[in-house]
Amino acid sequence: MHKEAAIREPLILGEVSYKKISDDISRPIFGKANKYWWILFITSVILFMWGISCLAYTIGTGIGVWGSNNGVDWAWDITNFVWWIGIGHAGTLISAVLLLFRQKWRMAINRSSEAMTIFAVMCAAIFVVLHTGRPWLDYWLFPLPNQFGSLWANFNSPLMWDVFAVSTYFSVSLVFWYIGLIPDFAMIRDRAVKPLMKRTYKYLSFGWSGRAKDWQRFEEVSLVLAGLSTPLVFSVHSIVSMDFATSVLPGWHTTIFPPYFVAGAIFSGFAMVQTLMLIMRKVLNLEHYVTIKHIEYMNIVIIVTGSMVGVAYLTELFMSWYSGVEYEQYCFLNRATGPYWWAYWSMMTCNVISPQLFWFKKLRTSLMFTFILSIVVNIGMWFERFVIIVPTLARTFLPSTWNMYSPTFVDLGIYLGTIGMFFTFFLLFCRVFPVLAQAELKTIMKSSSEKYKNMPAAHH
Amino acid sequence: MQLNLTYTFPSKLKTTSFVLMGLGLLLTILAFVFDHGPEGAAHGEYNHTHFWANILICAFFFMGIGLGATFFMALKYASEAHYTAAFKRVYEAVSDWLWIAGPILVLVILLGQFHVHHLYHWMDPSVYDTASPHFDNKIAAKEGYFTPWFFWLRTAGFMFVWMWCQRTLRNRSLLEDQAGGTLNHFKNVKTSAIFLVFFGFTSSVAAWDWLMSLDVHWFSTMFGWYVFSGIWISAMIATLVIVLYLKDNGYLEHVNESHIHDLGKWMFAISFLWSYLFFCQFMLIWYANIPEEVTYFQNRLETNGYKFMFWLVFFVNFALPMLFLMSRDAKRNRRFLITVGFIIFIFHWLDIYMIVMPSTVGRNPGIGIFEIGPFLLFLGGFIYFVMGKLTKAPLLPVNHPYIEESKHHSI
């Protein structure tokens, strides 16, 4: 029998029953959207459309319309790619790693953060697909039967590894997310009255019957997928970091990059989860399920990963001096005091200093403060990638190749467009999908809800 | 049912630990006496580098076990873990070992400062002297960092704070047995958070200072985290093996299969972490092939005859846990756990050997009495001390707030 310690804070607050959980989670699907949802949705769609126009312009004219130039040949495209891929990491961490660690608090947040992962990876994919210059030839990245003359995928290139790492990550995350949704879709199917809706959810739930055998298979598949996804949490961003670290450029080639990128990815991912969750719990009335304690736990993950990123920054800085290599030393001097100093110091402030404020319990349990800081962290993490890419390429070994970079309206447009796309998808998700994993939540109702925890032992 | 909560140190095990220590000491002395250095070295110029390198390897490796257990103890407080409460006294006793091994390591390094051994090239004042033929401008550029007062402030300061945190956590844990309540627990949660932050920064710096600086021209930003993962896995193996030993002898009845399974998972997972860090560090340096960095692996793969040993360390520490501890049943099977545990324990010692030897002795000296002597000496000391510490406190922290949850642990 499971027994939960008294000092653990409850994870579901207030009155609770199996029926109430189903009611609360299916309400947004059966109800009508309010005014705020429409405002947010229309804004996102407009941004999305603007992004698509800029994207079409890029494809039609060529990537000369971007600000990238001969020296700085990677800039916003790769910054945005890495930023979005990083954001996706929290979903996999919550669904896979925290599952293996049996963290019950993950159950309130896993569904929407997995959704976030899927959408973020889609946004990221746009940039890598586009930055090749001729995206209609991108299928050459795959090792197809060789009908293109001497062309063959170069397996020595980390860019190639990226193609496989990211596509594996996307497919496994999608399958994991969908498997978890099956029993929840079935719950919606059972409650639906309109025939079309009932039919749709019937297909979506793959004819889930709720028999013991279904559950047993469900549990087994979840565990196997968690096992498969856990290495993916590490591998994807490690390989993204190798795009830089396998080079010989000072500031790019440093051995700490893989674990440091992984920590940074989880850091930014959790910040994005906070941004979304704080809005979602309010708009959809889920405050009893996504409690202050959940917010606090996520903030603690933000402190831990933020500090790891901080240690990595300082390690890099120290090693550049310690190495005695003048190119290394100049690279970091240039980052901190060169023409892009503002990017470096924004990154340091947002990523290293500001998360340390979460050491104060008052601040890490404050919703408003958490919301602001989650956005600050995401700004900081965007700057981190910018700092790694642009100032480094702007000042490489040969001073005659030095030049500055500034983005064009197209760069900005595509970036804003992906933010629009991300929110469009997320808002749609909130309306048609069960946003909390209700089947999982029901398993902890009797052990971890406020109501049951306060009951005398005999009533369990 | 009356639980057997007081451990008595059986005389047979005590004898074994004395035999190990005695044999180890004997071999160590023999090694020192018969160590004449390489052929052709002039009399009086040889500083017993081979001998001292082995002392450093063991001092660091065994200190790491105590430090790793302290880290694990703090981690489990900070992460509200319940299952570890059932075998908490075991890793507490292992962490106490830091009080013996920590000062020994500091002492071994201190002997270098007094030029008893010459493991650390930068401790030689002539490398900073422009007039000297030994002048080395790369080391001279780092003089500020290696100035004795600054180096010793770091070394002594880190060790002192780690040991102090360990003692505080352990004392409060024992106090909790008497006092009850949750006050001591929450105080420990706070101390643990402070320790983890401090450790997060200092464990890397310590690894640069004590191990990376043996190869003073070389640098790798990953090095600190890589060494840390090795420390962690060694501590997990020590804890797991002692838990299984105690269970075999009729103690720790409240530790069930699920606890063992979880400890097995740690061994499995940290092995992956170590392998991941090893691979990333190696692959990136190999791929970029920059002269300043690649020398480290050249010395281990091309020039000094370590090639076989180098790859063996990686493959054993990676493949063995992966193949043998992947399945659920294996992680609950004591024979599997102990066999894999013992082998990778030795191979993580060999990992430290791979870090130290090529940078100090140079050419692969092989594994002989120089290596086995100090290892047995430290191992015997470790067993004697840790098992002795286990007798000092009840094996179950009765007032730990998660103890009931831990007893009912089932996965």
Side-chain angles (χ1 to χ4, degrees), chain A residues 156 238 253-255 297 322, chain B residues 80 142 220-221 276 287 293:
Chain A
N156 291 334
S238 297
H253 174 72
T254 171
T255 48
Y297 279 136
Y322 179 88
Chain B
E80 303 180 355
K142 300 173 192 179
S220 165
T221 42
Y276 163 70
Y287 194 113
E293 293 185 354

Side-chain angles (χ1 to χ4, degrees), chain B residues 340-401:
Chain B
V340 174
F342 267 117
I343 296 175
I344 62 172
F345 184 78
I346 291 171
F347 273 82
H348 277 283
W349 168 83
L350 203 58
D351 177 39
I352 303 293
Y353 175 96
M354 280 311 307
I355 292 171
V356 175
M357 264 320 160
S359 312
T360 50
V361 173
R363 190 123 205 103
N364 187 357
I367 304 286
I369 55 165
F370 279 97
E371 284 69 32
I372 296 166
F375 183 80
L376 293 182
L377 177 64
F378 274 85
L379 185 66
F382 176 78
I383 294 171
Y384 178 75
F385 181 86
V386 173
M387 298 321 263
K389 276 288 170 190
L390 276 175
T391 62
K392 298 283 194 290
L395 288 173
L396 187 69
V398 279
N399 290 325
H400 193 282

